[in-house]
Structure formats: C-alpha cells, structure tokens
Amino acid sequence: MLSQTTISPAVRHMPGISAGRLPLRDCHLLSGSIEMIGAPMSFCRNEEIFGEGEPADYLYKVISGTVRTYKVLADGRRQIQAFYLPGDIFGLDTGDDHTVSAEAVSDTKILVIKRSAVVALAQRDGDVARRLWDLTARELHRVQEHVLLLIKTAQERVVGFLLEMAERVHAGREIELPMSRQDIADYLGLTIETVSRTLTQLATTAAIELPSSRRIVLRNRAALSRLNA
Amino acid sequence: MLSQTTISPAVRHMPGISAGRLPLRDCHLLSGSIEMIGAPMSFCRNEEIFGEGEPADYLYKVISGTVRTYKVLADGRRQIQAFYLPGDIFGLDTGDDHTVSAEAVSDTKILVIKRSAVVALAQRDGDVARRLWDLTARELHRVQEHVLLLIKTAQERVVGFLLEMAERVHAGREIELPMSRQDIADYLGLTIETVSRTLTQLATTAAIELPSSRRIVLRNRAALSRLNA
DNA sequence: CGACCATTTGATATGGATCAAGCGATGTGG
DNA sequence: CCACATCGCTTGATCCATATCAAATGGTCG
C-alpha cells in the first residue's frame, strides 16, 4: 500500500518552495504564450517525481528527458498511463490528490509550477482557463486512444506504439526509445517477452530495423500503418 | 468508413436549432448551479445521437435513460468508451469534432446545450470555466480507470464493471442493467460469451444472484471487492 | 575478465476467443 | 390460444494468442 501522506520529492528537494517562496522566473508554461512562475528541477533515472495519493499542488512541464506516470495494482502489476516527452505538461490529470505516480524514465529536467498560481490566473484570465481546459481535453483524448490500443492484438499494440512515438519525437525514420522493454510492456498491457518477440518479428518482415535495442528504424511506414488495424 | 460530413441527429431533428434559434429554457447544466440554455430531446433505443467526425457543436446532459459512446475499428470491432446515466454530461470529450459516436442504449431524454454558449459564458465567468475544467478532468479520471480495467482478467473486469454500475446507480443490493451483454462485452474488451460465463460463475459461487439477465443482485460485496484485484 | 542487467529466444501452459448448439422470453400470425 | 419465428443469452467443445517458465545472449561497468 502506498503511503497517502508522504511529501512528493518535487517538494522535498526544492529549497524555498516548502518555505512558501517560489524562485521567480519567466518561462512559457502553456505551449509558449503565457508567462508563468516556475522552478526548474532535475531528476535522475528512475527517481520518483510524485507518488499516488500525494497532494497535487504542482503542475510539471518536461524540459528534457522522459517521464512515466503509472499505477501499481494490488498484485504488483504495473500499468503505465503515459510517457511525457520534452514540451509535454503533466500533473493535471487530477483533482486534489495525484491519482498516479510519476518517475523519471531517464535523467530529466522538469519545470515545476505551483498549481494554485495557475488556477488563480485562470480565474482572472479566460484565455488561461481555456488553455488549461484544452490541455486536459487533449490528455483525455490521448487516454481514449490508449484504451483503443489495449483492445488490439499484440502486434497492433506494438506497431501503434512505434507510430505514436515516431510522431511525437518527430524524428525521421529512426527513433531513439528512452524507455525499456519493461516500460513498453507495462504501457501496452503485454509482457516483456511478447514485446521483444513482436519487434523481432517486425524486423524479420522488414517493416522495421533494430540497430540496437533502443534504436528502431521504421523501414516501411505504409506496412506498419496497415498492421495498425 | 464513417462519413465525415453528415449532420448529427441531435441537430437534424431539432426544429429551431438549425435556424439559429434555441428554445429558451432555464435548467441546471453543471451539477446544478449554473443557469444555462438547453433544449430537451428524446431518442429511442439504438438511435444515434451524434456520429464520429461530426462537428461537436453541442454538449449533452442525460435526463433519463442511458447513452453509450463508442468507436468502431476498421475490422468491425466496437469499443464502448463510456455509459452515461441520468445526470451525466457527455460530448466534452472533444475538440472541434466528435471523436466518438453516441447512441441511446434505451429510450432516452437528453438536454442539448449549444457549446458556443457555454464557452462564451466560461470566458466571462471563471466559475463556469472551472466547472468545465472539472468535468473534463473527471471524465479523464474515468477513462484512466477504464484503462486499468482493460489490463485485468475477465473476472476482474466483470466484477469491476458491476461495482462501478452499482455505485453509479446508487441502488441497494439489486441493480438493473440498461445495457445488453454485447454492450458490456464491448465496454470490457471481452466477448459476449466470456461475460455470460463469468456472470454465471459468480452466481455459482454465490457472489451474485441473477433473477433475470438484466437484473443482478450483489449478494456479497466483500467477496466481489476481493475479486476486483 | 567477470558480474550484472536488459534483452532475446525457446518450450510449454492457459485464459479467453471462436465455432456451434441449445434455451428461454417475447412477439406475431393463423 | 397456440405454433412458430426471432432475439438475446447461456452452455459446450475446441483452438490459438499470449503468458509463463526457463535458458542463452549481449552490452555495460567495475
């Protein structure tokens, strides 16, 4: 059982914040048009950013690196809800308390923003409020796509994941995955073995190429899209 | 392929709306505190309310009956995203166009509200904006729970569904399901046969009772919660 | 080089899908 | 009022995709 009362590392580690003072800094919070107060923080690989059940006093924007949010079921199964890449905002999937835990997938820099400041601003400024709503609606849409992934076959899930990642990192043909096979498996509701087998099978049929386990070349996007159901 | 240009029945059938005039009526849109403009409409069993890809110009509040929203994959599989019961608001899971289709599960009365009116109101009134945000966040939370359901075993999914429905209809021990086994199956990512078998098995172990196929008595909630993982 | 960890590969087991038949309620026409 | 069609649901038999268990491989760091 996860503790309901621990303080999130994002607060623990940040001098000044727990004392009620936020380091002032201008930065673009919401897709680059609203000036906002935030503090940059660093997390190393696998470090916890916040835990399920903790008060959700902050919003987070990924500067560099990758973040995973997840839940662990009673029997130990872990479901990854989302991966957040540079530019993505997370932590608004919530009411008063976090309903998921968040960890750094790789060494990560994150902008931490006091939620109450944003909410207060939104109360006065309709545009900010609209932005917050849009962000949440976008997140909702993403989770709905995730639901669709989870009813598909293993091959369709893996292909869907690759296409999603390719689009989000907007790389060319080759993508660098920041997460492990176990992370991918827990995101797709599969086992690590099935993910691995599916990737090698895709490589065998020349749809992809695997220069290394974390690098994947999309060799035939048309074929992949066809396999995406 | 679903048409991208058809007009939603909610608009087609409503005299006055397509002509730009909304019947004026006071009603409580957002959990009962904001006066809003809306028009009541009726849909009979299995009638379409709106279709995927249509412009999302309205929000909907269920007065009586039940609504399902769903997507159909290319190969014909149908995934039900949500069931909406009396009091629930749907149609805000979207940007400009509906990303899902909506149908009446049973004969249903729905309040139809012009989206632009709500958005305009939210722009001026921070409380309304906050309400919209909350509603979307709540929907997000619901979908995240749905994701968790989909990685569980068949028995856990069915039990989870029963407990969810019991809570939402806040009935006593006996719940009346408005939807068919096929609807339940498409919500849970299972087949109709597996849903049926799981229910009879739960009945055999005395966790539930099945007076008729649509009526289910939760005989042992503690046992059910234990089976919920 | 050797330990460690992530990943791949192989062999087998199993939960749920699929295919197929039976059953019970509801409705319709004779 | 009954014979019969229809539809939703249940039950049975078999199959298959993915999980599970187990071992081999490979890459990284001391």
Side-chain angles (χ1 to χ4, degrees), chain B:
Chain B
M1 192 63 184
L2 293 169
S3 164
Q4 299 294 303
T5 56
T6 50
I7 303 298
S8 121
V11 177
R12 267 201 300 279
H13 302 164
M14 198 171 358
I17 287 218
S18 51
R21 287 172 288 113
L22 270 169
L24 272 171
R25 179 171 299 249
D26 283 341
C27 66
H28 296 291
L29 164 60
L30 302 166
S31 305
S33 74
I34 301 169
E35 305 264 291
M36 202 24 66
I37 293 167
M41 288 189 63
S42 290
F43 295 88
C44 54
R45 203 164 85 89
N46 293 326
E47 190 176 352
E48 181 177 82
I49 298 167
F50 55 76
E52 191 178 340
E54 294 178 6
D57 296 331
Y58 301 92
L59 299 179
Y60 305 86
K61 179 170 183 171
V62 181
I63 305 298
S64 65
T66 303
V67 171
R68 60 174 170 254
T69 54
Y70 65 93
K71 276 199 172 194
V72 178
L73 300 185
D75 62 356
R77 278 172 294 182
R78 179 182 70 157
Q79 176 60 38
I80 291 184
Q81 303 255 8
F83 295 109
Y84 296 96
L85 305 179
D88 292 341
I89 291 172
F90 65 100
L92 35 63
D93 52 310
T94 178
D96 290 339
D97 290 339
H98 287 298
T99 58
V100 295
S101 303
E103 288 174 351
V105 170
S106 53
D107 292 352
T108 299
K109 281 205 190 355
I110 293 173
L111 199 60
V112 182
I113 302 124
K114 199 149 179 61
R115 169 182 289 263
S116 59
V118 181
V119 170
L121 187 54
Q123 177 67 30
R124 298 193 312 273
D125 184 338
D127 287 341
V128 173
R130 180 61 202 256
R131 273 280 165 75
L132 277 177
W133 186 29
D134 276 356
L135 280 170
T136 306
R138 198 163 323 226
E139 185 75 357
L140 175 57
H141 187 245
R142 196 194 53 69
V143 182
Q144 285 172 339
E145 288 299 313
H146 196 182
V147 165
L148 284 184
L149 254 200
L150 293 179
I151 64 161
K152 297 184 181 181
T153 65
Q155 189 179 63
E156 289 165 346
R157 295 188 212 191
V158 171
V159 169
F161 172 75
L162 291 179
L163 291 175
E164 179 197 336
M165 288 305 292
E167 187 171 348
R168 290 178 63 189
V169 304
H170 53 267
R173 291 160 22 94
E174 178 157 355
I175 56 183
E176 166 102 35
L177 297 178
M179 71 290 286
S180 69
R181 293 286 187 270
Q182 187 63 63
D183 284 336
I184 298 172
D186 288 349
Y187 179 72
L188 296 179
L190 298 171
T191 59
I192 183 177
E193 292 97 329
T194 298
V195 171
S196 182
R197 274 186 247 272
T198 305
L199 285 172
T200 52
Q201 189 213 328
L202 289 171
T204 307
T205 61
I208 65 171
E209 211 171 319
L210 291 164
S212 81
S213 74
R214 296 290 182 105
R215 309 196 131 268
I216 297 186
V217 179
L218 306 188
R219 181 186 272 277
N220 187 345
R221 286 226 195 194
L224 288 173
S225 296
R226 228 172 302 121
L227 294 176
N228 195 212

Side-chain angles (χ1 to χ4, degrees), chain A residues 78-94:
Chain A
R78 180 182 70 156
Q79 176 60 38
I80 290 184
Q81 303 255 9
F83 295 110
Y84 296 96
L85 305 179
D88 293 340
I89 291 172
F90 65 100
L92 35 62
D93 52 310
T94 178

Side-chain angles (χ1 to χ4, degrees), chain A residues 17-204:
Chain A
I17 288 218
S18 52
R21 289 172 287 113
L22 270 168
L24 273 171
R25 179 171 299 249
D26 283 339
C27 66
H28 297 290
L29 164 60
L30 303 165
S31 304
S33 74
I34 300 170
E35 305 265 290
M36 199 29 61
I37 292 168
M41 287 189 64
S42 291
F43 294 88
C44 53
R45 203 162 87 88
N46 293 326
E47 189 176 353
E48 181 178 81
I49 298 168
F50 56 76
E52 192 178 341
E54 295 178 5
D57 296 331
Y58 300 91
L59 300 180
Y60 304 87
K61 179 170 182 171
V62 180
I63 304 298
S64 65
T66 304
V67 170
R68 61 176 169 252
T69 55
Y70 65 92
K71 276 198 171 195
V72 178
L73 300 185
D75 63 356
R77 279 172 293 182
R78 180 182 70 156
Q79 176 60 38
I80 290 184
Q81 303 255 9
F83 295 110
Y84 296 96
L85 305 179
D88 293 340
I89 291 172
F90 65 100
L92 35 62
D93 52 310
T94 178
D96 290 339
D97 290 339
H98 287 298
T99 59
V100 294
S101 303
E103 288 174 352
V105 170
S106 53
D107 291 352
T108 297
K109 279 204 189 358
I110 293 173
L111 200 60
V112 182
I113 302 126
K114 199 148 180 59
R115 168 181 289 263
S116 59
V118 180
V119 170
L121 186 53
Q123 177 67 28
R124 299 192 311 272
D125 183 338
D127 288 341
V128 173
R130 181 60 202 256
R131 273 280 164 73
L132 277 177
W133 187 29
D134 275 356
L135 280 170
T136 306
R138 198 164 322 227
E139 184 76 357
L140 175 56
H141 188 247
R142 196 194 53 68
V143 181
Q144 284 172 340
E145 289 300 314
H146 196 182
V147 166
L148 284 184
L149 253 200
L150 292 179
I151 65 161
K152 297 186 181 180
T153 65
Q155 189 178 63
E156 290 165 344
R157 293 187 214 191
V158 170
V159 168
F161 173 75
L162 291 179
L163 291 174
E164 180 197 334
M165 288 305 292
E167 187 170 347
R168 290 177 64 190
V169 304
H170 53 267
R173 290 159 22 92
E174 178 157 356
I175 56 183
E176 165 102 35
L177 297 177
M179 71 288 288
S180 69
R181 293 287 186 269
Q182 187 63 61
D183 284 337
I184 298 172
D186 289 349
Y187 179 71
L188 297 178
L190 298 171
T191 59
I192 183 178
E193 293 96 331
T194 298
V195 171
S196 180
R197 276 187 245 273
T198 304
L199 285 172
T200 52
Q201 188 212 329
L202 289 171
T204 307

